[in-house]
Amino acid sequence: MKLKSLNWIVSCAIALGTSMSLQAQVPVELAIRLDDLGAFHSVNKAAMDIYHNGLATSMEVIPVGQWFPEAAKFLNANPGIDVGIHLAFTSEWENAKWRPLTNCPSLVDENGYFLPMMKKNAAYPGLSFEERGYNIKEVEQELRAQIEFTLKNIPQANHLTGHMGSTNMNDELCQLAQRLAEEYGLTLIDGTREYQASKNFYFSWYEGGHKSLEQKEESFIKMLRNLSLMRKNGIRHMWLDHPAYNDSEMENIFHIGYEDVAVDRQGVVDLLKSQKVKDAIKELNITLIPVSALTTSLPREKNKEMAAAIDKFYAQAQAAGVEMHSIMVLQHGKVIGERWFNGHLPTEEHIMNSASKTFTSTAAGLAISEGKLKLTDKVISFFPDKLPAKVSDNLKQMTIKDLLTMTCGQAKANTTAQRQQEYDWVEAFLKEPVPYKPGTYYAYNGLGTYMISACVQKALGGEKIFDYLNRKLFRPMGITGISWLESPQGINTGGWGVYCKTEDLAKMGQLYLQKGMWNGKQLLPASWVEEASTRKVNSENKPEVTLQMGLDSDAAAGWDWIKGYGYQIWRHRYGSYMASGAAGQYFIVVPGKDAVIALTANTEKMPKEVDLMWENIYPVLK
């Protein structure tokens, strides 16, 4: 995927640094958050400008804003953006007002608009919630509606923030927001001061005046330098502001006491596109992270022995011509080693290729656990309108389980259809001959995994597996910025097409290692993890298998992919199992060591990549 200027800045900070002393220090992590998308067209356009040409790691969208549809369109077109739901029940601007999504008389004025202020304000006497009060049941009703409306339109939204104190004006509102966040699988960012401290992140602000661009730059960079002086392991910060252009739309937007809105917010755009600021971030070795990472990233633990092992692993990979992009090693639920190579970044959504298949089987497992699908369901039952003129006996017998185990009975995959936009991929799969009785013949088949995606989507009443996993797993696990390609028919490709960060890949492996448990909640049934990860069929080396995986057949005689296959999961040496994608994308679960290893690469030497991992990383796992 295209790397933006944000990634260039982080790459320079990580890979180049400015001095040996800076490289030796632990980088300060800073989330830069843009608020109020959906409020105005000018805000939407300015935020996207910053995302593509400046510095922004997260954006907050207001569900009740009149430009919400445009914001949703922009955010869905850029799935790598970390998105928060900016809950709002104030309408502070003159000349532009917002209404609630529900009937809530205690939250509106005589014209049905939200009140302008949360707290008492002399310019708006009697028009604040602090003075007038509110009905907490109506607040909950409205906030639920805003959350559900946003998730319907922007399924990747993953956290909650509050507009003008709507989630943290008092303990009652904060507790409500925390309860709703937990219920919807979201993370609350703007909680009480005690909440923020417990999550080990801190709000930062300009250090000095910020009227003009020059003042903004000076005060922002001063803030960055002070952050660097506070450098220590685990420290994290969030900085937020409100971008917009100084245009005819924003010239008419103000409230009493804040009249220079257009000029001020144009300054925010210019600040976050400033080369001076970009250079300061590089000089100070500040790592930019998404807002969601403040509370949902995996815990870290320093391990000098593992760091040395990773150095050795990478040196040997380079010598062997294996182009590595990243490695992350987890043990006992903590990251004990991680590195990115060749210009790749922690913030980058990397292609997963066939490791996507394990994501697809996970969606199938969830649907089965909810009684919406069965392993014994016949594939043709889902698509009566797409069947060939003659349906063979073997095609009639093909089940969901046969697709999951790559034993659907087809001799080979139809790789032509999955590369063509004019094909209906379901029809193309069903027309392919089925010479073998399903369940008896293993043949690697990416389009068969696409059929799992299509069947699950049918079983879910049209919900795509990406949206389903967002709702059931990704949001509760803090997996953000993930995306998944679709077929011409609007079905997630299943067998390939996932883009995610290395840490997200590692989290999926950790979920399996923990038997589907995450933060004390059973997100995926333990019985499914056991069923999916155990050997179901032989996976003997066949030419069509190595061809589709991008492996040389002669060089693959001793590789680990012949140790058995579960439900879109490969068995591996040392009692481990893995999700595996062409060119070297893996999560490898090692139950005997309570460990997970995630790898990304671009190599034709996949067996060599894995061999080097076992030789260098595995022995360090105590």
Side-chain angles (χ1 to χ4, degrees):
M1 298 181 78
K2 183 179 179 181
L3 296 180
K4 304 174 179 66
S5 60
L6 161 63
N7 287 346
W8 179 84
I9 293 298
V10 181
S11 177
C12 289
I14 294 174
L16 299 178
T18 58
S19 68
M20 292 302 293
S21 61
L22 277 179
Q23 288 179 10
Q25 293 175 314
V26 177
V28 165
E29 294 181 315
L30 174 66
I32 297 180
R33 165 180 145 189
L34 305 182
D35 280 9
D36 292 6
L37 268 74
F40 303 103
H41 172 66
S42 184
V43 173
N44 292 344
K45 295 290 286 185
M48 297 312 300
D49 183 8
I50 294 170
Y51 178 65
H52 289 293
N53 303 302
L55 303 169
T57 59
S58 296
M59 299 186 189
E60 314 302 299
V61 61
I62 294 180
V64 294
Q66 56 265 50
W67 285 90
F68 175 87
E70 181 186 62
K73 181 179 179 181
F74 286 162
L75 293 169
N76 285 318
N78 295 273
I81 299 175
D82 184 49
V83 182
I85 305 174
H86 205 44
L87 298 172
F89 48 94
T90 59
S91 184
E92 67 271 26
W93 303 115
E94 302 288 342
N95 300 329
K97 292 294 179 183
W98 304 326
R99 297 181 186 273
L101 299 180
T102 64
N103 180 30
C104 44
S106 72
L107 305 185
V108 298
D109 63 17
E110 65 276 10
N111 292 316
Y113 296 119
F114 283 127
L115 299 179
M117 295 291 156
M118 290 295 296
K119 292 191 174 184
K120 186 176 180 180
N121 187 305
Y124 295 91
L127 293 177
S128 71
F129 289 101
E130 185 177 45
E131 295 167 284
R132 202 173 100 169
Y134 53 81
N135 183 320
I136 191 63
K137 290 184 178 180
E138 290 180 5
V139 173
E140 178 171 349
Q141 166 191 282
E142 175 62 21
L143 296 189
R144 281 184 182 278
Q146 291 187 25
I147 293 169
E148 292 173 4
F149 177 66
T150 306
L151 293 178
K152 176 183 176 182
N153 289 277
I154 313 172
Q156 68 269 30
N158 58 73
H159 61 271
L160 294 179
T161 59
H163 181 65
M164 293 186 71
S166 61
T167 60
N168 62 3
M169 184 181 81
N170 56 40
D171 288 342
E172 183 178 44
L173 292 177
C174 185
Q175 290 167 10
L176 171 60
Q178 290 189 49
R179 178 162 56 84
L180 293 177
E182 183 175 350
E183 180 179 335
Y184 286 96
L186 302 162
T187 303
L188 178 65
I189 300 297
D190 297 344
T192 62
R193 188 176 300 275
E194 291 76 16
Y195 171 85
Q196 293 155 17
S198 70
K199 295 296 184 181
N200 196 27
F201 72 89
Y202 308 90
F203 283 100
S204 300
W205 190 239
Y206 299 102
E207 304 228 356
H210 49 93
K211 290 292 184 182
S212 66
L213 173 60
E214 291 73 21
Q215 286 182 334
K216 279 181 165 65
E217 286 178 325
E218 181 180 349
S219 297
F220 188 85
I221 292 172
K222 183 178 180 182
M223 178 269 296
L224 294 177
R225 293 192 183 282
N226 284 337
L227 296 188
S228 69
L229 293 174
M230 298 167 63
R231 193 184 307 267
K232 63 181 180 179
N233 189 31
I235 196 164
R236 291 173 161 186
H237 296 267
M238 178 169 66
W239 183 92
L240 66 93
D241 212 332
H242 308 77
Y245 292 130
N246 183 2
D247 56 19
S248 58
E249 181 185 21
M250 295 307 295
E251 285 173 358
N252 297 293
I253 301 302
F254 69 96
H255 63 71
I256 300 172
Y258 182 25
E259 286 80 14
D260 61 341
V261 177
V263 173
D264 179 50
R265 300 200 168 185
Q266 177 70 59
V268 175
V269 179
D270 297 338
L271 171 75
L272 295 178
K273 293 173 64 179
S274 164
Q275 188 60 47
K276 187 184 294 186
V277 171
K278 293 177 182 179
D279 291 343
I281 286 176
K282 180 175 71 171
E283 173 197 343
L284 296 167
N285 192 23
I286 292 174
T287 297
L288 301 183
I289 60 173
V291 162
S292 57
L294 292 169
T295 56
T296 62
S297 60
L298 293 165
R300 264 66 175 174
E301 184 176 274
K302 289 184 179 180
N303 187 310
K304 292 182 180 179
E305 191 176 358
M306 183 57 70
I310 289 175
D311 288 343
K312 186 178 178 183
F313 162 78
Y314 180 56
Q316 292 180 8
Q318 281 186 302
V322 176
E323 182 188 318
M324 290 304 305
H325 291 176
S326 70
I327 181 170
M328 181 175 284
V329 183
L330 280 65
Q331 191 170 38
H332 312 315
K334 296 181 179 179
V335 178
I336 62 170
E338 58 186 323
R339 274 191 66 188
W340 282 260
F341 314 101
N342 296 304
H344 293 268
L345 305 165
T347 54
E348 178 187 344
E349 287 79 43
H350 196 283
I351 189 169
M352 290 295 111
N353 294 324
S354 286
S356 308
K357 290 178 170 63
T358 307
F359 288 71
T360 301
S361 68
T362 302
L366 283 168
I368 289 168
S369 72
E370 294 183 337
K372 297 174 180 176
L373 191 71
K374 297 193 294 292
L375 286 171
T376 55
D377 283 342
K378 299 294 192 293
V379 174
I380 63 170
S381 68
F382 294 93
F383 310 103
D385 57 330
K386 296 182 182 292
L387 299 177
K390 180 173 175 55
V391 179
S392 69
D393 288 341
N394 282 342
L395 179 57
K396 290 178 184 177
Q397 296 305 310
M398 188 190 300
T399 65
I400 297 295
K401 183 176 182 179
D402 299 325
L403 295 176
L404 285 165
T405 56
M406 297 286 189
T407 60
C408 68
Q410 294 181 357
K412 60 182 179 63
N414 186 335
T415 57
T416 301
Q418 67 194 50
R419 295 188 177 95
Q420 303 297 323
Q421 291 294 306
E422 63 267 23
Y423 282 85
D424 182 312
W425 294 1
V426 170
E427 287 184 357
F429 177 88
L430 293 173
K431 286 179 181 177
E432 192 70 24
V434 188
Y436 301 99
K437 181 180 178 181
T440 65
Y441 180 83
Y442 173 86
Y444 194 78
N445 192 323
L447 203 58
T449 311
Y450 170 76
M451 291 298 292
I452 300 171
S453 175
C455 290
V456 174
Q457 185 168 320
K458 280 276 190 176
L460 296 175
E463 184 178 21
K464 298 171 186 176
I465 62 171
F466 176 59
D467 295 339
Y468 185 51
L469 289 173
N470 257 317
R471 181 162 56 88
K472 291 289 185 176
L473 293 186
F474 298 159
R475 284 201 294 269
M477 293 171 65
I479 293 178
T480 64
I482 188 170
S483 61
W484 203 330
L485 300 179
E486 297 179 4
S487 72
Q489 292 72 45
I491 300 168
N492 292 123
T493 48
W496 63 97
V498 167
Y499 288 78
C500 69
K501 297 183 286 296
T502 305
E503 183 162 340
D504 298 331
L505 183 64
K507 284 182 177 181
M508 286 295 289
Q510 188 66 26
L511 177 71
Y512 270 79
L513 178 63
Q514 294 171 175
K515 302 294 185 183
M517 185 74 73
W518 197 265
N519 287 339
K521 292 186 177 180
Q522 195 73 46
L523 300 183
L524 183 67
S527 58
W528 175 261
V529 173
E530 182 68 23
E531 176 78 4
S533 62
T534 51
R535 179 186 176 112
K536 293 291 178 293
V537 295
N538 294 329
S539 54
E540 291 87 353
N541 182 23
K542 295 184 173 71
E544 66 270 16
V545 180
T546 56
L547 178 65
Q548 286 209 23
M549 294 189 65
L551 298 170
D552 178 82
S553 184
D554 293 335
W559 45 284
D560 293 272
W561 290 261
I562 63 172
K563 298 185 183 299
Y565 199 69
Y567 293 157
Q568 309 285 295
I569 292 175
W570 299 88
R571 293 297 305 176
H572 219 300
R573 68 184 90 167
Y574 304 125
S576 68
Y577 57 89
M578 67 178 178
S580 170
Q585 329 312 319
Y586 309 98
F587 74 66
I588 301 172
V589 178
V590 193
K593 297 287 189 178
D594 192 28
V596 172
I597 302 99
L599 301 156
T600 65
N602 180 25
T603 181
E604 295 179 357
K605 301 178 179 181
M606 293 172 65
K608 186 64 175 177
E609 176 190 1
V610 174
D611 285 344
L612 290 174
M613 185 279 296
W614 288 120
E615 291 170 13
N616 292 285
I617 305 302
Y618 182 73
V620 181
L621 297 170
K622 303 302 182 183

